[in-house]
Amino acid sequence: MNDDSIKIMSLLDELEELIASSGKMPFSEKGIIDLDVAQKIIEDMRLNLPRDIQQAKWLGQEKDRIISDAKREYNRMINEAKDQVEYLVNNNSIYKDAQKRADALLKEAENHSNYMKYRSYEYIDQLLYDMQNDIAGVSASYIQPMTEYFNEMLNNINARVNQNRQEMKTLAERVQLGDAAVPPQNTEE
């Protein structure tokens, strides 16, 4: 485990302790926790997430930058081709040669632009593929075990509350039958 993973696990333990030590609301399954402490723990968890997750935002920005660069290069080449065509048109003696050159430049610009777009998409796809694998790894390493742990913890709490309800029902039945003097049986052993 790296330092970030250890820190995340430590913060999860803090959050669990905060929940476990929280007071309960009367007549409710809900607990009362200090929101400032919980928010601080969550903020610390965000700050200690693995670097791959933190880089997800950077990947989006990198994709936009690459596409923007490709568009800028395409526009530059188109403008260069138009300028060349205009120059050649103004010199009638070489008009036909200018037309050919302009068409070649335009075709070259379009080919280069398509190539740049293709390479950009290919690069971004590879980055996203790598990030997808990293996210799947993080999910398998952290999120799924954490979810299973929370589900188990909630199931245990629910079972305990259900047990307490059953004890209360038993006491209520005894009171109703006039057996209030008989001490309740302890079902927890």
Side-chain angles (χ1 to χ4, degrees):
M1 262 189 186
N2 62 27
D3 290 342
D4 291 338
S5 299
I6 293 169
K7 181 67 176 170
I8 290 289
M9 296 308 285
S10 172
L11 290 168
L12 283 172
D13 289 342
E14 275 186 55
L15 187 57
E16 180 183 2
E17 177 62 29
L18 178 66
I19 291 170
S21 65
S22 68
K24 302 293 182 209
M25 292 180 67
F27 307 109
S28 172
E29 295 179 21
K30 296 182 180 183
I32 301 171
I33 64 170
D34 185 336
L35 292 179
D36 291 335
V37 172
Q39 285 178 320
K40 175 68 174 128
I41 293 170
I42 291 169
E43 182 180 311
D44 286 347
M45 289 172 73
R46 280 195 181 112
L47 292 174
N48 286 286
L49 284 174
R51 190 176 315 172
D52 294 338
I53 293 175
Q54 294 174 355
Q55 289 178 345
K57 183 178 180 184
W58 174 83
L59 286 176
Q61 293 170 342
E62 185 69 8
K63 175 193 81 157
D64 293 342
R65 185 193 61 78
I66 290 170
I67 290 172
S68 176
D69 287 351
K71 285 179 182 177
R72 203 169 24 258
E73 179 67 14
Y74 171 79
N75 289 333
R76 185 193 63 76
M77 292 182 84
I78 293 294
N79 288 335
E80 187 178 297
K82 285 179 183 178
D83 291 345
Q84 185 69 24
V85 168
E86 188 176 323
Y87 169 78
L88 294 174
V89 167
N90 289 335
N91 296 314
N92 285 334
S93 62
I94 53 170
Y95 175 73
K96 288 184 181 180
D97 289 339
Q99 186 64 44
K100 288 179 184 177
R101 179 70 179 135
D103 290 343
L105 284 174
L106 185 59
K107 182 70 173 168
E108 182 183 339
E110 288 175 2
N111 287 342
H112 185 69
S113 172
N114 288 337
Y115 175 77
M116 291 296 290
K117 285 180 186 177
Y118 171 78
R119 295 295 295 166
S120 297
Y121 294 146
E122 194 175 63
Y123 174 72
I124 291 167
D125 180 57
Q126 183 62 46
L127 290 175
L128 292 173
Y129 176 79
D130 293 344
M131 185 176 74
Q132 203 173 21
N133 286 337
D134 292 343
I135 289 171
V138 167
S139 177
S141 297
Y142 300 105
I143 306 302
Q144 289 174 353
M146 184 174 29
T147 301
E148 290 170 5
Y149 175 77
F150 283 132
N151 282 339
E152 182 181 334
M153 183 175 65
L154 291 174
N155 286 339
N156 289 340
I157 290 170
N158 189 39
R160 185 68 177 260
V161 169
N162 192 42
Q163 180 183 4
N164 289 340
R165 287 184 62 219
Q166 293 303 320
E167 288 177 13
M168 291 301 110
K169 285 181 183 178
T170 301
L171 289 174
E173 287 174 3
R174 288 185 178 159
V175 167
Q176 190 176 21
L177 295 173
D179 251 352
V182 177
Q185 294 179 349
N186 187 356
T187 58
E188 188 179 320
E189 293 184 21

